[in-house]
Amino acid sequence: MPKSTLTFVCTECGGESLRWAGQCPHCHAWNTLQEFQVRKAAKEAKPRPLQPAKAVALADLAPDDAPRTRLEWGELNRVLGGGIVAGSLVLIGGEPGVGKSTLLMHAAAQVARGGTVLYVSGEESGHQVRMRAQRLGALEPKILLLAENDLETICEAIEHERPRLAIVDSIQTVTDAGLEGSAGSVTQVRESAARLMRLAKEIGVPVFLVGHVTKEGSIAGPRVLEHIVDTVLYLEGDRRQELRLLRATKNRFGSAEEIGVFAMGENGLEEVSDPSAALLASAAQAAPGTVIVSVLEGTRPLLVEVQSLVNSTQNHPLRRVANGLDVNRLHMILAVLERRVRDLSFGNKDVFVSVAGGIRITEPAADLGLALSILSNENNRPMPDGLVVIGELGLSGEVRRVGHLDRRLQEAARHGLTRALIPAGSRAVRPSGLDIVEVRTVAEAIAAAFSSPIRSGEFIREAEVSVS
Ligand code: TYD
Ligand code: MG
């Protein structure tokens, strides 16, 4: 066995430290450092090559000719950057039960129509995997199943079969007998992934790894692997809801911003190529507190419904709950509103906001919509039908411009919305059928959204009445 030395790796951020500490020096998480055996490669004895390494002119290299296997589902191809690249190692992370095995079985079936797929399951028995595949309509003859945990055996099988795609479900169950530590420890997970990476590159077989994200630090999470693999995809979504987002967070073969959208149903997953339509279908019409915003996920705009509930309370501490968005953003918006709207105070009110469909909003272009949604609920005044609100909110109440406005407006027009509040001064193609209202401040936006004055204009701070 090769010699090894010890370091410590954080299960949250993957950062390394030479000494154990209660807190990770990189990401400051507590109790996340785990022992990690660094294998001293036997390579050290490797003879020096006789010829010196030779660099080549960049322009002389052949253009990107990475052969890709395209899947039936455009949503999967999109997040993968156009299909599965031969020899790539792709990590699919997500909470237990979100649908990783289901998604990969669908992918396996699609690839297996053109070649063999090796599905290695360390978590479920062959019987269980078969039952799932049958339910999904994925019982393709060219899917081979290997119920195995041992890394050596798995690598041998991949080498022997040379499949078009190998799937290891999950990396946390794989163990290398030559290493200390139980399955799922940082050492095992990292070294197994590194070994699979080398194998994938050597023989040009793409390998998909499933990695469970766990909140507790005892099992090595996918973060530890992010540095090693080529592509990291996270499957997100509320288990009680249908929608699942597959989000690329790292991709050596494509954009790391893309998302793929799927829906979980009776017969497994289905791709959702028009997520806005799916999201709007469930929108609560004309309820106070409901607003449609347009957020950009990768290159695609999504029309998403946000909802707010403002409720008077005697209880302390006050509750500020944000589902699907950053609670600090909510605090900021509440502060801006308190300063900009006369007689408005959230000092004795709980505020809940949530994003429909289990979507997580990460960009500030939804700020203005969120602000109006809170006001709408607070004043018990529904927003007009067919309105989409787009804009970032600055600390002084100004509405800031956002990127890719054209796309957002087109998406709104395409889905039959009739009116858009947008930041003033934005240059964008204005689709026909969409009445566009430019606003410079939150006060202007309020005036435009609730066009009949609320309590004869009291809504707006005196200092700003002139802008309405
Ligand atoms: P699974 O793919 O096993 O999750 P993971 O591998 O991420 O742990 O999916 C499990 C969940 O998906 C389970 O709660 C049931 C649900 N599900 C369906 O709703 N429909 C289906 O057809 C399948 C196969 C699963
Ligand atoms: Mg699973």
Side-chain angles (χ1 to χ4, degrees):
M1 203 170 102
K3 273 194 184 166
S4 63
T5 55
L6 270 189
T7 63
F8 296 87
V9 173
C10 171
T11 52
E12 277 295 310
C13 70
E16 283 187 35
S17 319
L18 286 175
R19 253 174 235 107
W20 189 86
Q23 190 182 24
C24 169
H26 306 283
C27 71
H28 308 296
W30 287 95
N31 291 327
T32 54
L33 292 196
Q34 273 203 11
E35 214 172 88
F36 176 65
Q37 263 181 44
V38 188
R39 234 201 277 215
K40 279 220 177 121
K43 275 189 233 131
E44 278 168 358
K46 204 166 96 182
R48 289 188 67 96
L50 293 176
Q51 295 203 340
K54 194 161 175 287
V56 294
L58 189 57
D60 288 348
L61 287 175
D64 175 29
D65 53 357
R68 288 176 190 259
T69 306
R70 289 186 72 82
L71 294 145
E72 224 164 85
W73 281 352
E75 293 294 303
L76 265 178
N77 290 329
R78 180 207 300 274
V79 260
L80 287 166
I84 305 173
V85 176
S88 61
L89 188 66
V90 179
L91 174 69
I92 288 137
E95 289 179 12
V98 73
K100 299 179 295 298
S101 304
T102 307
L103 180 69
L104 288 181
M105 188 48 84
H106 282 292
Q110 291 172 25
V111 175
R113 284 168 203 148
T116 38
V117 175
L118 180 65
Y119 196 109
V120 180
S121 177
E123 301 203 329
E124 293 158 308
S125 68
H127 186 66
Q128 282 172 305
V129 179
R130 187 187 191 279
M131 270 192 345
R132 178 188 292 113
Q134 188 159 24
R135 190 140 54 90
L136 305 181
L139 264 191
E140 292 290 326
K142 286 194 178 162
I143 300 182
L144 306 176
L145 182 83
L146 177 70
E148 184 55 69
N149 295 320
D150 180 55
L151 179 67
E152 200 54 47
T153 319
I154 294 170
C155 288
E156 271 168 27
I158 296 175
E159 258 196 284
H160 179 246
E161 298 294 343
R162 305 249 166 168
R164 270 187 101 175
L165 171 66
I167 294 167
V168 179
D169 186 358
S170 68
I171 189 65
Q172 276 116 348
T173 58
V174 174
T175 44
D176 179 343
L179 286 174
E180 282 171 23
S182 53
S185 68
V186 175
T187 309
Q188 289 287 0
V189 165
R190 248 177 70 156
E191 289 294 284
S192 306
R195 171 80 192 280
L196 287 163
M197 178 73 159
R198 285 194 298 274
L199 179 64
K201 294 279 173 290
E202 264 167 45
I203 63 174
V205 169
V207 179
F208 281 15
L209 301 179
V210 171
H212 294 296
V213 178
T214 48
K215 301 236 160 73
E216 78 225 32
S218 61
I219 298 193
R223 302 232 160 244
V224 174
L225 299 175
E226 283 180 356
H227 318 282
I228 301 175
V229 301
D230 294 312
T231 301
V232 180
L233 309 177
Y234 279 103
L235 189 60
E236 308 172 346
D238 187 336
R239 276 169 63 175
R240 289 152 300 177
Q241 300 205 26
E242 277 189 358
L243 230 49
R244 299 284 182 282
L245 298 195
L246 186 63
R247 193 185 290 275
T249 59
K250 165 181 178 179
N251 196 349
R252 288 187 182 145
F253 306 110
S255 160
E257 301 244 295
E258 287 299 346
I259 59 160
V261 185
F262 305 89
M264 181 69 89
E266 292 265 303
N267 301 311
L269 290 163
E270 271 172 38
E271 65 172 338
V272 179
S273 356
D274 190 355
S276 292
L279 288 165
L280 289 183
S282 58
Q285 301 255 308
T290 297
V291 171
I292 295 168
V293 298
S294 170
V295 293
L296 211 66
E297 288 285 2
T299 55
R300 106 210 284 196
L302 292 184
L303 296 172
V304 184
E305 181 199 34
V306 294
Q307 288 191 321
S308 302
L309 176 65
V310 182
N311 193 34
S312 296
T313 179
Q314 307 296 328
N315 299 336
H316 280 270
L318 292 171
R319 280 187 292 174
R320 302 283 182 253
V321 180
N323 280 320
L325 39 90
D326 182 11
V327 73
N328 290 320
R329 208 78 208 161
L330 171 62
H331 286 308
M332 186 211 86
I333 289 168
L334 292 178
V336 170
L337 285 177
E338 282 194 338
R339 288 292 294 272
R340 292 294 141 199
V341 179
R342 198 214 290 177
D343 295 336
L344 181 65
S345 161
F346 297 103
N348 51 357
K349 287 166 187 156
D350 288 336
V351 181
F352 305 86
V353 296
S354 86
V355 184
I359 301 270
R360 195 161 48 84
I361 295 181
T362 49
E363 60 155 10
D367 286 355
L368 184 61
L370 197 62
L372 293 184
S373 139
I374 293 166
L375 290 178
S376 159
N377 188 265
E378 155 78 4
N379 289 276
N380 209 18
R381 294 279 303 260
M383 303 286 279
D385 268 348
L387 179 75
V388 60
V389 182
I390 303 168
E392 177 180 345
L393 213 50
L395 288 182
S396 60
E398 80 276 22
V399 176
R400 296 217 173 128
R401 278 181 267 173
V402 300
H404 300 288
L405 189 63
D406 305 46
R407 287 197 202 145
R408 300 180 205 253
L409 292 178
Q410 261 161 26
E411 182 80 351
R414 201 162 68 82
H415 286 90
L417 299 184
T418 50
R419 204 159 175 237
L421 294 194
I422 66 166
S426 305
R427 262 172 296 155
V429 181
R430 301 173 174 215
S432 62
L434 202 59
D435 174 21
I436 298 217
V437 185
E438 296 196 21
V439 292
R440 272 170 297 165
T441 60
V442 66
E444 284 188 23
I446 293 166
F450 306 96
S451 40
S452 51
I454 289 173
R455 278 182 258 132
S456 44
E458 273 183 8
F459 212 9
I460 296 162
R461 254 182 190 243
E462 275 164 340
E464 301 205 355
V465 166
S466 58
V467 296
S468 68

